[in-house]
Amino acid sequence: MALTKRIATGEEEFHGVLIVGGGICGLATALALHIKGIDSLVLERAESLRATGAGISLKANGWRVLEQLKVSEELRELAVPLTGMDMKSIRSDKVIKVPYRNECRCVKRSDLVGTLARHLPAGSIRFGCQVEEISLDPVTRYPIVSTSNGSTIRAKVLIGCDGANSVVAKFLGLKPVRFLPLWAARGLTTFQEGHSFRNKFLNLVGKGMTFRLVPIDDKTIYFSAIQSRLPKGCADSRDPSLIWQVALQAMQGYPEEILDVVRSCEIESVTLAQICYRAPWNMLLQPFQEGTVTVAGDAMHAMGPFIGQGGSASLEDALVLARCLAETATGDDQKPARSVQEVLRSYVKQRRWRILRLCVQAFLNGQLIVASSNLKKVVLRAVVNVLFKGSTTSQWHDQYDCGSL
């Protein structure tokens, strides 16, 4: 097949498909391609599998993709099904209950990336390899990648799955991500004797903080503390102990059972990140593809965690992209790059409107959280009412089916 060839000549390598980024989207794309009979090489800048963020919620649309990747049953055994969401303020006993009609589970990111990686052929991931520069061959227009270790890799297809600060997105000319004045401290807590929380997503709103708690299994809890203010010097901190202390200090007034979750957490699992997004209006015209270079996952559509679709949408990207690229696997190694360009244009066309709708809803929900004036909140709610039938927690997105491999 034209896209499966790997050749090493001196200090240069030639690959059919090169994937930048060994996170969820990069590994899912590699696995989808493998199932379709297409080899790929994943370049990961970290020295081992990365699972920043501790946990991730996957909706029904994401689980449909995992079924196609043949890893769903393995992962379902590691995460309980969630029956709904309870939303309340710490100042009130009133609870808004939102039942889940479709499958939703929260999994450890380490379980997800580990499972995807285990199903890949040996040698599919190259760790400690950071992309420094991307260019196009002046004759073939195929991408050329220069890495931090001095190697040069040529490929017929280059896919950027390297997150919000993607080097591939920068090469394509995508606008930089924007940031909300919100920081998410995330972590895991394991109770060896089991926890008492029901299989529900719990959303607690306090002054300057929204606390989210999600059971992964009968012993493990994933939590996220989203804050609008941080002490000076903490916003860029990578010290788990400091992040943990700051989160606890900001949780004055929260119930003791919630505080116990944070007090008892696995300190090494705690991370802090400012919430970023790609402006939805840029989704209409941004060049998600040039020649045989494209992007997927957060590199394409970083969005805030307000509708819980970042991970599932990235899995959708992987499936659609692999399905499109499989159309070029004709067995003719001289197949012109133009045919690959055509299928990548098809991939972008299929994904653009889907991710635009997701990004718009996530954007509006995020703006509603940070809005300082009541007038702005009224306007935002009115827009949400018009576009999403009056519900900021609508489940239209998890009913989406991107099809089979």
Side-chain angles (χ1 to χ4, degrees), residues 57-82:
S57 294
L58 296 175
K59 302 292 183 68
N61 53 309
W63 286 101
R64 292 188 190 101
V65 176
L66 293 174
E67 287 170 0
Q68 293 295 312
L69 299 181
K70 304 175 183 178
V71 296
S72 58
E73 291 310 307
E74 186 175 341
L75 287 165
R76 282 187 174 112
E77 293 179 359
L78 305 176
V80 296
L82 302 175

Side-chain angles (χ1 to χ4, degrees), residues 35 46 75 77 89 131 170 190-191 218 244 283 291 346 356 367 375:
I35 292 171
L75 287 165
E77 293 179 359
S89 167
V131 173
K170 185 178 180 180
T190 300
F191 296 94
D218 58 355
W244 172 70
M283 294 293 161
S346 174
L356 173 63
Q367 292 300 313
L375 176 60

Side-chain angles (χ1 to χ4, degrees), residues 226-282:
I226 301 176
Q227 302 163 254
S228 57
R229 295 182 183 86
L230 288 174
K232 188 175 181 180
C234 289
D236 298 321
S237 175
R238 296 186 180 182
D239 181 353
S241 297
L242 178 59
I243 299 168
W244 172 70
Q245 292 172 10
V246 169
L248 272 177
Q249 290 170 5
M251 292 180 67
Q252 295 180 12
Y254 274 78
E256 278 298 313
E257 64 174 350
I258 299 299
L259 292 173
D260 283 343
V261 171
V262 182
R263 291 183 186 125
S264 305
C265 76
E266 302 163 20
I267 299 296
E268 66 278 5
S269 74
V270 178
T271 60
L272 179 70
Q274 187 172 5
I275 294 174
C276 67
Y277 65 97
R278 292 200 182 278
W281 49 90
N282 289 332

Side-chain angles (χ1 to χ4, degrees), residues 304-320:
F306 311 112
I307 61 172
Q309 276 293 327
S312 294
S314 296
L315 291 171
E316 289 178 9
D317 294 342
L319 185 149
V320 175

Side-chain angles (χ1 to χ4, degrees), residues 72-114:
S72 58
E73 291 310 307
E74 186 175 341
L75 287 165
R76 282 187 174 112
E77 293 179 359
L78 305 176
V80 296
L82 302 175
T83 60
M85 175 192 294
D86 286 352
M87 299 185 293
K88 63 174 295 187
S89 167
I90 63 172
R91 300 182 183 86
S92 171
D93 292 331
K94 182 180 178 180
V95 180
I96 299 175
K97 295 180 179 291
V98 181
Y100 288 164
R101 301 184 187 91
N102 302 304
E103 182 176 16
C104 179
R105 300 170 193 254
C106 182
V107 300
K108 291 182 182 179
R109 285 180 180 259
S110 58
D111 286 340
L112 179 53
V113 298

Side-chain angles (χ1 to χ4, degrees), residues 3 139-142 156-157 289 291-292 325 328 334-346:
L3 292 179
V139 177
T140 66
R141 305 304 291 169
Y142 286 137
K156 288 192 173 181
V157 179
Q289 173 248 344
T292 61
L325 284 173
T328 69
Q334 301 303 314
K335 191 75 172 178
R338 178 174 51 82
S339 65
V340 180
Q341 294 179 38
E342 288 172 358
V343 299
L344 290 183
R345 279 195 290 269
S346 174

